Amino acid sequence: MHLIENIEVLVAKVLSLAMVVVIIAAIFDLGVYLINELFASSYGKFNQVLFTIFGLFLNVLIALEILENITAYLRKHVVHVELVIVTSLIAVARKIIILDLAKVTGNTIIGLGVAVLSLSIAYWIIRSSNIRH
């Protein structure tokens, strides 16, 4: 059993290092994209790429939340469900923010709404149970 725990810790550390590389790459990609759009686009066209920029920002935020999940596991060897739900909420919010309403069906919008509602209820339940203890 001790060997399995050591392997879990090693895997978590490797994932954490890989996530740091992903975050640095995402920040670099965001910076390059932002500079290109600020200096290369004509006036008034920036609003068209604004949602792409928001999506890239939220990608970095999601990656940071995943890194937080991994480091929280490394510290206490427990998966923090509250952090996982918050990360999921951010991911769904990202999808909603960058959603092109002209290209999606009503079912997609309903599904995203149900996902947000379900995750919010789950977060509220876990948060209120953590406050009691």
Side-chain angles (χ1 to χ4, degrees):
M1 202 61 166
H2 187 64
L3 176 67
I4 293 174
E5 289 178 8
N6 287 339
I7 291 172
E8 285 179 353
V9 169
L10 179 66
V11 168
K13 287 180 181 180
V14 169
L15 285 175
S16 142
L17 289 174
M19 190 53 71
V20 169
V21 171
V22 167
I23 290 170
I24 291 170
I27 290 171
F28 179 76
D29 186 43
L30 171 64
V32 167
Y33 187 81
L34 193 58
I35 289 170
N36 284 339
E37 291 303 320
L38 283 175
F39 296 114
S41 355
S42 59
Y43 181 75
K45 186 175 167 132
F46 186 71
N47 285 335
Q48 295 173 353
V49 298
L50 195 56
F51 290 112
T52 305
I53 292 170
F54 287 161
L56 292 172
F57 268 100
L58 288 172
N59 282 345
V60 173
L61 183 60
I62 291 167
L64 285 171
E65 287 294 326
I66 292 171
L67 180 62
E68 178 65 27
N69 288 336
I70 295 169
T71 54
Y73 174 78
L74 282 171
R75 286 186 196 121
K76 297 182 181 175
H77 299 288
V78 175
V79 176
H80 292 271
V81 179
E82 186 176 341
L83 284 175
V84 173
I85 291 173
V86 168
T87 305
S88 301
L89 271 169
I90 293 170
V92 174
R94 177 200 175 277
K95 182 68 177 172
I96 292 170
I97 288 170
I98 65 169
L99 194 64
D100 186 0
L101 292 177
K103 295 181 182 178
V104 297
T105 63
N107 289 338
T108 303
I109 295 171
I110 291 170
L112 289 170
V114 168
V116 168
L117 180 63
S118 302
L119 288 167
S120 299
I121 291 170
Y123 179 76
W124 177 74
I125 290 169
I126 290 176
R127 186 75 175 174
S128 57
S129 71
N130 286 343
I131 291 172
R132 286 186 215 144
H133 292 108

